[in-house]
Amino acid sequence: MSINISEKSNFIWKIADLLRGDYKQSEYGEVILPFTVLCRLDSVLRDTKDEVLKANATLKYKNKAPFLTKITNYKFYNTSEFTFEKLKNDAGNIADNLIDYIKGFSENARTILESFDIYSQISRLDKANLLYLVFLKFANDIDLNPDNVSNQEMGYIFEELIRRFSEMSNETAGEHFTPREVIRLMVSILFDPDMAKICEPGFMAKLYDPAAGTGGMLSAGIEYATEQNDRAIIEVYGQELNEKTYAICKSDTMIKGKGYENIHLGNSFTEDKLPHEQFHYMLCNPPFGVEWKKYEKFIRDEAEDLGYKGRFGAGLPRVSDGSLLFLQHMISKMLPPEEGGTRIAIVFNGSPLFTGDAGSGESEIRRWIIEQGWLETIIALPDQLFYNTGILTYIWIVTNRKSSVRQGKIQLIDGTSFCDRMRKPLGEKRKMLTEEHIKELTNIYGDFVPGEYCKIFDESDFAYWKVTVERPLRLNFQTSEERVARISEQTAFANLAKSRKRKPEEIAKEVEAGEKQQAEIVEAIEAMDATVLYKNRAEFTKQLHKAFKKAGITVKAPIQKAILAALSEKDKTADICVDKNGNPEPDSDLRDTEQIPVKENIDEYIKREVLPYAPDAWVDETKTKKGYEIPFTRYFYKYTDLGNSEQTLRDIESFGNRIQAYITKLFGEV
């Protein structure tokens, strides 16, 4: 099957050679994709075309659609007299005839083709004298009849063409397409606990993807369920932002005759076309690392106005990566447990596992999901598995109906080694999952037994306290010439800070008064003994007040604070500075934080890990925050012995000598 897909996608893409010179490379897909869809639709309707034309001519009913779709056995039809075969016979009128052919499609199919802006492409190709040449290639050389190309294979072909189109368009690497074997694994694990139910007669379920792309996940869900039970009914729903991939998704589901009317165009966050729907299963591969700044106001307003009654009450991730927004959006569409509940499978990169400190949007979202008991499993996938990115990815399984044995638990599965090398890479994709890998990983998930590739944790194992550890401020004070010189800048700023909104003449008077006060302050301080080093702030402040009183100066609190700052320096041997209540003041330069597991007592941790090294430290409890992170790789780290250090050193020296010998030989040095 993979050879057939590769051959056909390569052949289709070679048609783009005809466009060179008249189209930019980044524009090739705007022609190739709609003509591929059109070719597929023509192939699907070919065998029933004559019967449709006959019925269309003889039927007297105003609404002929039910009769015509019954003939085609699809949800669409075409009443134009043209077919690809007939269009070949009139090269001179190809543009008008092709448009007539497209307008002969039923509205649902015609709307999909118009989403590609196909009329504009026909006009442009015709003006460049390329239309008939391009059309002829599809009509003569490409056979997309369902007898030769299954729906699954057609999905792969679409996927490969879009991948190439996105690469030529320099689209962001985060907007990639999900390999079918990854989807297969997601669906297998998503459905695994429900296999007995799926196999029951009359099984029905609703499946949703808020970033549907070309519809691969929805198709895989249908295929997997019907493999278990050919009478299973999976109603698919989806929404897609990109108009071209939406058109392919819509055409794919329409050809299959299942759920095309539930596929919508638009942004799932700002234009949710399914606001009141809830689903039994949800699948998604949101774009990685793509910012949501364009929609920030709408999303923030919903979060603030609706809180947990909306979709984003738990928190908002940083604007640079909106992947966790998709998960929150999906959670808002879960069925209540009493109505059967919902299972979700979503693909993330590593960022949602640990990005964000305690109290941040990401941490609060993780906290909400885990404390609600919804996070069931995370599976780490191999790198180089996706077409446009080689990074490690993770499947999260989220559900509000965990089995009793999984209550309070989270399962981590290391699937990074479950892959085969591809004979020929596809973009960044150099690895693939086989059916055997999918089966093994699904079994590991279902067995729920700790082992080499599986770890099981309590939900609270991922929670921690972020504790702020303070150290006391210790300062010495002295009226040395160097420190007194700092005062002018400090006190002038203190005076002028009040004068910014005054009139120029008022500011001038203020500055003059400030300079006079500065001079008096400096004179009073210089009268103090510059050789004395004070190690107690209260004692030095007392002496300072005496000096001001003796000089007849009244110094306001803000200026006095600036003076103390100018005359002080940090000193580990000095007494602790205390506030008016006698409590030690913290030194911001010595402030530190500790990340303490929730299962551990904070006081005992501080006594063991902090106080032996900093006996004067204390915890500012007002700053303590609870956070959640999942350091996945730490749990599956395998120590590798680095060998004998002396031998390693000898190897390095030997390697260095060889390099030097090569350099000497190269430059002919003696």
Side-chain angles (χ1 to χ4, degrees):
M1 183 176 73
S2 60
I3 295 175
N4 187 37
I5 292 162
S6 182
E7 285 180 351
K8 288 193 180 298
S9 58
N10 286 338
F11 199 87
I12 292 170
W13 196 255
K14 282 181 181 178
I15 298 173
D17 290 340
L18 295 171
L19 307 177
R20 188 173 287 119
D22 293 280
Y23 279 76
K24 298 175 185 177
Q25 277 195 343
S26 60
E27 297 175 316
Y28 289 175
E30 295 174 17
V31 174
I32 300 301
L33 293 176
F35 272 82
T36 302
V37 172
L38 188 59
C39 184
R40 176 67 169 181
L41 295 178
D42 183 82
S43 300
V44 165
L45 297 178
R46 185 185 306 160
D47 294 340
T48 59
K49 184 62 184 248
D50 291 340
E51 193 177 347
V52 166
L53 291 178
K54 183 179 178 181
N56 187 51
T58 57
L59 286 170
K60 303 301 181 183
Y61 299 101
K62 188 174 182 180
N63 181 15
K64 301 177 184 180
F67 302 96
L68 299 182
T69 54
K70 187 175 182 180
I71 294 170
T72 64
N73 205 28
Y74 292 100
K75 299 283 187 177
F76 59 97
Y77 53 88
N78 186 298
T79 57
S80 166
E81 291 185 3
F82 291 108
T83 63
F84 265 35
E85 192 63 31
K86 290 180 180 179
L87 285 166
K88 292 191 298 184
N89 301 326
D90 190 359
N93 294 301
I94 184 64
D96 290 340
N97 293 344
L98 191 56
I99 290 172
D100 180 83
Y101 173 58
I102 292 169
K103 289 186 175 179
F105 277 103
S106 52
E107 184 181 0
N108 51 2
R110 188 176 68 253
T111 302
I112 291 168
L113 291 166
E114 290 171 350
S115 295
F116 286 107
D117 197 17
I118 194 167
Y119 301 137
S120 296
Q121 295 306 324
I122 289 172
S123 176
R124 183 176 174 183
L125 288 167
D126 193 41
K127 286 179 182 177
N129 294 317
L130 292 172
L131 179 59
Y132 188 69
L133 294 175
V134 170
F135 167 76
L136 212 57
K137 282 287 185 182
F138 278 95
N140 286 340
D141 301 339
I142 307 296
D143 182 9
L144 298 180
N145 191 283
D147 293 338
N148 301 317
V149 181
S150 69
N151 285 330
Q152 184 181 17
E153 288 175 319
M154 196 67 231
Y156 275 118
I157 291 170
F158 279 144
E159 188 176 82
E160 174 64 6
L161 292 175
I162 294 171
R163 180 188 68 79
R164 296 187 187 192
F165 172 54
S166 66
E167 285 182 350
M168 282 190 168
S169 303
N170 293 318
E171 291 184 6
T172 174
E175 295 175 356
H176 52 269
F177 302 91
T178 317
R180 292 300 175 97
E181 76 268 22
V182 175
I183 302 173
R184 182 82 174 176
L185 173 62
M186 294 171 71
V187 172
S188 176
I189 291 177
L190 194 68
F191 287 169
D192 183 74
D194 301 336
M195 291 306 285
K197 187 166 56 174
I198 291 172
C199 293
E200 291 176 359
F203 173 78
M204 292 183 63
K206 294 163 69 176
L207 175 65
Y208 172 63
D209 183 349
T214 59
M217 290 196 171
L218 300 176
S219 296
I222 294 171
E223 289 164 8
Y224 194 90
T226 52
E227 283 174 16
Q228 318 308 317
N229 174 7
D230 58 8
R231 294 187 178 182
I233 298 175
I234 301 291
E235 295 181 357
V236 295
Y237 297 75
Q239 190 159 337
E240 170 56 28
L241 177 62
N242 183 289
E243 195 165 9
K244 292 182 178 63
T245 48
Y246 155 77
I248 289 176
C249 179
K250 190 95 168 176
S251 61
D252 186 44
T253 52
M254 186 178 65
I255 288 169
K256 292 172 183 175
K258 296 180 180 179
Y260 75 93
E261 67 277 5
N262 298 323
I263 307 300
H264 301 279
L265 177 65
N267 185 288
S268 293
F269 301 144
T270 60
E271 309 169 73
D272 184 7
K273 300 294 177 65
L274 299 161
H276 306 299
E277 292 282 358
Q278 293 176 312
F279 306 97
H280 302 93
Y281 301 99
M282 292 185 246
L283 290 161
C284 187
N285 177 18
F288 301 157
V290 175
E291 69 172 32
W292 47 281
K293 191 173 184 63
K294 193 188 300 184
Y295 320 108
E296 183 175 2
K297 185 179 186 307
F298 182 95
I299 291 169
R300 289 196 183 279
D301 286 349
E302 178 177 326
E304 292 170 8
D305 295 344
L306 299 180
Y308 286 100
K309 292 181 180 178
R311 295 171 291 175
F312 311 115
L316 299 176
R318 61 199 64 198
V319 174
S320 60
D321 187 356
S323 53
L324 278 169
L325 293 175
F326 279 92
L327 180 54
Q328 290 173 278
H329 171 77
M330 294 164 82
I331 287 172
S332 74
K333 297 181 180 298
M334 291 198 299
L335 282 162
E338 58 271 19
E339 295 180 27
T342 298
R343 290 179 58 75
I344 296 171
I346 186 168
V347 181
F348 285 142
N349 62 9
S351 180
L353 291 170
F354 52 79
T355 299
D357 205 353
S360 69
E362 291 91 348
S363 180
E364 288 300 290
I365 294 167
R366 287 190 293 268
R367 176 178 180 174
W368 174 60
I369 293 169
I370 292 173
E371 290 188 350
Q372 291 293 324
W374 294 333
L375 181 57
E376 182 180 85
T377 305
I378 299 177
I379 304 111
L381 300 177
D383 61 358
Q384 300 177 52
L385 205 58
F386 286 77
Y387 298 116
N388 284 19
T389 178
I391 62 174
L392 286 169
T393 51
Y394 301 81
I395 297 172
W396 288 37
I397 304 297
V398 176
T399 180
N400 60 354
R401 55 178 179 91
K402 283 185 181 180
S403 64
S404 58
V405 72
R406 291 179 181 267
Q407 293 292 328
K409 303 291 182 181
I410 295 174
Q411 179 186 29
L412 303 186
I413 298 173
D414 179 16
T416 55
S417 61
F418 289 71
C419 62
D420 281 352
R421 280 270 174 189
M422 294 178 64
R423 185 173 57 84
K424 186 179 179 182
L426 291 172
E428 293 293 321
K429 182 174 173 58
R430 294 175 172 82
K431 297 177 182 177
M432 62 177 290
L433 302 174
T434 65
E435 280 296 322
E436 188 59 33
H437 294 136
I438 293 170
K439 184 178 179 181
E440 286 181 54
L441 288 169
T442 304
N443 288 339
I444 291 171
Y445 161 80
D447 291 343
F448 198 61
V449 176
E452 182 181 2
Y453 303 108
C454 174
K455 309 287 183 186
I456 296 170
F457 298 89
D458 293 336
E459 291 170 340
S460 58
D461 286 334
F462 303 111
Y464 66 89
W465 297 113
K466 182 187 175 184
V467 171
T468 300
V469 178
E470 302 283 14
R471 298 280 302 282
L473 179 66
R474 298 175 186 268
L475 300 171
N476 68 40
F477 299 84
Q478 193 174 25
T479 59
S480 64
E481 183 178 348
E482 179 186 354
R483 298 192 192 188
V484 172
R486 303 173 192 163
I487 293 176
S488 297
E489 182 180 348
Q490 296 277 11
T491 53
F493 176 82
N495 278 322
L496 288 173
K498 301 177 182 179
S499 309
R500 289 172 182 165
K501 292 185 179 180
R502 299 192 182 192
K503 295 178 181 179
E505 58 272 20
E506 292 176 335
I507 292 175
K509 289 181 181 179
E510 187 76 24
V511 170
E512 184 180 352
E515 289 175 346
K516 180 181 178 183
Q517 186 184 43
Q518 286 172 4
E520 292 172 346
I521 288 171
V522 169
E523 185 178 352
I525 291 174
E526 287 177 338
M528 297 174 66
D529 188 348
T531 63
V532 179
L533 184 69
Y534 296 86
K535 295 198 174 188
N536 184 286
R537 187 172 66 182
E539 182 182 342
F540 175 73
T541 303
K542 186 177 180 181
Q543 295 301 319
L544 195 63
H545 286 166
K546 285 182 180 180
F548 290 155
K549 186 175 181 180
K550 186 176 181 181
I553 304 171
T554 301
V555 180
K556 294 182 179 179
I559 297 177
Q560 180 176 301
K561 185 178 180 180
I563 292 169
L564 288 172
L567 299 178
S568 67
E569 288 184 359
K570 297 284 180 71
D571 184 348
K572 293 180 182 179
T573 65
D575 293 342
I576 294 172
C577 297
V578 296
D579 60 23
K580 59 184 179 181
N581 296 318
N583 299 316
E585 290 184 17
D587 184 341
S588 59
D589 291 338
L590 298 178
R591 182 173 295 142
D592 200 359
T593 58
E594 293 286 337
Q595 195 164 300
I596 304 172
V598 162
K599 287 185 173 181
E600 188 158 353
N601 182 275
I602 294 176
D603 291 337
E604 290 178 3
Y605 178 94
I606 296 298
K607 286 178 184 177
R608 184 182 73 249
E609 301 293 339
V610 177
L611 295 183
Y613 313 101
D616 56 0
W618 76 93
V619 172
D620 184 347
E621 295 180 357
T622 64
K623 296 177 181 177
T624 298
K625 295 179 180 178
K626 192 177 187 180
Y628 277 81
E629 68 174 19
I630 305 168
F632 196 103
T633 53
R634 182 196 304 170
Y635 299 122
F636 292 95
Y637 172 76
K638 294 178 181 178
Y639 173 75
T640 302
D641 191 352
L642 298 178
N644 183 278
S645 59
E646 292 182 2
Q647 181 60 46
T648 302
L649 181 59
R650 286 195 294 271
D651 291 342
I652 293 171
E653 290 175 346
S654 174
F655 187 60
N657 291 337
R658 290 203 302 275
I659 292 174
Q660 187 59 50
Y662 288 136
I663 293 173
T664 302
K665 183 177 180 181
L666 180 64
F667 290 98
E669 296 178 4
V670 179

